[in-house]
Amino acid sequence: MIATTREDWEDLLALSQSESAARPLLERLLEHWCRLHRAEAAALYLERGALLERECTHGPREFPDFYDPAAPAAEFARGLALFRLPGGALVFAPGEIPLADAATLLLSEASKASRLSRQLKEQRFQANYRGVELEALYDVGLKVASTLDLEELSEEILLHAVMLLDARRGALYLFGPGGYKVQRTFGGEAAESFAAGDSALARFLAGEPGAPDSLLPGARHLLGVPIEIEGSPRGLIAVGDKESRRGVGPFRASDRRSLGLFANQAAIALENARLHLQALEKERLEREMSLAAEIQRQILPKGAPEIPGYELAGWNRPALQVGGDYYGFLELPGDRLGLSVGDVSGKGMPAALLVSTLHSALRLLLERNGVGPDFLERLNGHLADSSTANKFVTLFFAELDPGSGELGYLNAGHNPGLILRRDGTLEELGSGGVPLGLIRAAQFREQKTAIHPGDLLCLYSDGITEACSPDDEEFGLERLGNVLTDCRDQPLPDLIQAIERATTAFAEGYPQGDDQTVVLLRRAG
């Protein structure tokens, strides 16, 4: 029997009728059970998820807060035995083996009632908690979303995740080209990185049991969720060791939902921060490109010098905001005129930087060496030393004696210059060497011709002749010659516009693929 006196029965009956006395009732029943079964000590455990959580104890012995019912029987080899009850278990220092007696039956029913009461309280708590949780998540989301600095945002996300789940440990990982890389940790160390295809991590984030051993080393209980935008990974949040009234315990199923909702807000905040960084970087690049374009405009001639008996004009249109084409007019000793058209391999900022190098080196070497093959050889050596292996420059440089019309020229791998003679014939001024910067010891050959009254000289870059149509056909040298012939008597600015219109019409809206440059010189007839 359980109670030996009327007072014992009345005491148990009074406890059973009071909702607030559920725990004392279990303790009294457990005490009577130990007495009846001659057990030195015992603990009553109730199911909590996959584990058994200690509810009450009797006797001098220490019992753990949690038991894993799936653990091997050897766990109870040190003088302890486990007896399963509906919704829980008895762990005790063995006395008599439990039987289907009244004491065990009453304890079993009381434990079921206690578990049911706990579940009802938990449900009421969860109902209230969800409202508070959503309000808290909303407030946290506003605070997190208002931060655009990635370092500060990462700290806010991890701190609020740990606080939200009452966790002792935490780590925030961001996703990049190499996979997941740790951004912030809390309460201890975390693995530096995980590969994008890590199968153990993927199963853990999907909610399956088990986590990578290195995720939060030393943590007993782990919970993690992915941070995603429309299914695309942005990172992950992992927390460990939930605080409980008895120390550290497992996370509840509702904790995964809460952390998942928070991860959705974190994903939006991280995406905003990423877009903000992109906008700042784009703004910085645009400022740099604008500055580079302004510098390049300063390099190119603002107008053409006046040469008695001659007309001179130049034009440049880069494919991007800055380009790799160059042209210049130089006044040389003896009233001679220098004409140059260059084309740096590539486009954009790298090409523009090499254009600046070409501009300064060309002028400096001309002052020291004058015009001739030696000048070009020195320029080639300078560009070979100051540019990368995959960069080179084609250059057409001509020296005009306005009085005689004699034209000496050096062509380092550039497109052939064209002279439209007065009688309508076209003469090509071909190459006399390789492009600059390719071969350190390259040699160049100077060639000569003459500009007679009525002749038209045209220097250009390959962006003119290689302008493509939608059918991938090039504008070509023949079409350029036809434009020069048809418009030869027009003022040079109008002739340049004619070349521009012809290449644009030929492309039929196809994007300009390369920088375009034209220099025209006509001797009065």
Side-chain angles (χ1 to χ4, degrees), residues 340-351:
S340 60
V341 173
D343 185 359
V344 174
S345 60
K347 296 181 286 297
M349 185 68 75

Side-chain angles (χ1 to χ4, degrees), residues 285-505:
L285 290 175
E286 286 177 350
R287 286 198 303 268
E288 290 182 358
M289 292 292 283
S290 179
L291 178 60
E294 180 59 31
I295 293 173
Q296 194 167 50
R297 283 192 291 270
Q298 297 297 323
I299 290 174
L300 297 178
K302 296 179 177 60
E306 293 186 5
I307 309 296
Y310 292 84
E311 292 179 73
L312 182 62
W315 170 78
N316 168 262
R317 181 171 66 181
L320 303 176
Q321 192 170 358
V322 293
D325 277 7
Y326 169 79
Y327 77 95
F329 307 127
L330 295 92
E331 296 181 4
L332 303 175
D335 295 328
R336 291 170 300 161
L337 174 67
L339 305 172
S340 60
V341 173
D343 185 359
V344 174
S345 60
K347 296 181 286 297
M349 185 68 75
L353 293 174
L354 193 52
V355 165
S356 299
T357 302
L358 171 66
H359 172 75
S360 57
L362 188 150
R363 290 177 175 270
L364 181 62
L365 291 173
L366 277 175
E367 290 178 2
R368 294 182 178 179
N369 301 279
V371 180
D374 183 62
F375 146 70
L376 215 55
E377 289 168 9
R378 290 178 179 272
L379 181 59
N380 173 65
H382 177 76
L383 293 176
D385 293 339
S386 59
S387 62
T388 56
N390 61 342
K391 286 293 181 184
F392 60 88
V393 180
T394 67
L395 179 69
F396 192 106
F397 188 88
E399 179 187 21
L400 174 70
D401 182 346
S404 66
E406 183 181 67
L407 186 78
Y409 64 92
L410 298 156
N411 188 343
H414 197 74
N415 302 85
L418 294 178
I419 298 179
L420 179 61
R421 298 298 182 182
R422 187 169 187 173
D423 62 4
T425 59
L426 274 172
E427 179 182 333
E428 295 186 16
L429 310 181
S431 178
V434 297
L436 305 175
L438 280 180
I439 303 175
R440 185 70 173 75
Q443 295 183 336
F444 302 90
R445 182 178 76 257
E446 183 179 18
Q447 303 177 75
K448 293 185 180 295
T449 187
I451 303 296
H452 303 296
D455 289 349
L456 173 67
L457 171 68
C458 175
L459 306 179
Y460 57 94
S461 66
D462 58 9
I464 297 294
T465 52
E466 294 179 7
C468 284
S469 70
D471 297 329
D472 206 27
E473 181 184 1
E474 292 186 352
F475 186 73
L477 195 60
E478 182 180 351
R479 289 186 176 87
L480 176 60
N482 291 338
V483 176
L484 295 175
T485 300
D486 294 342
C487 305
R488 64 175 302 161
D489 295 327
Q490 294 183 13
L492 294 190
D494 294 344
L495 179 50
I496 287 176
Q497 287 186 9
I499 295 173
E500 180 185 1
R501 286 195 302 270
T503 55
T504 301

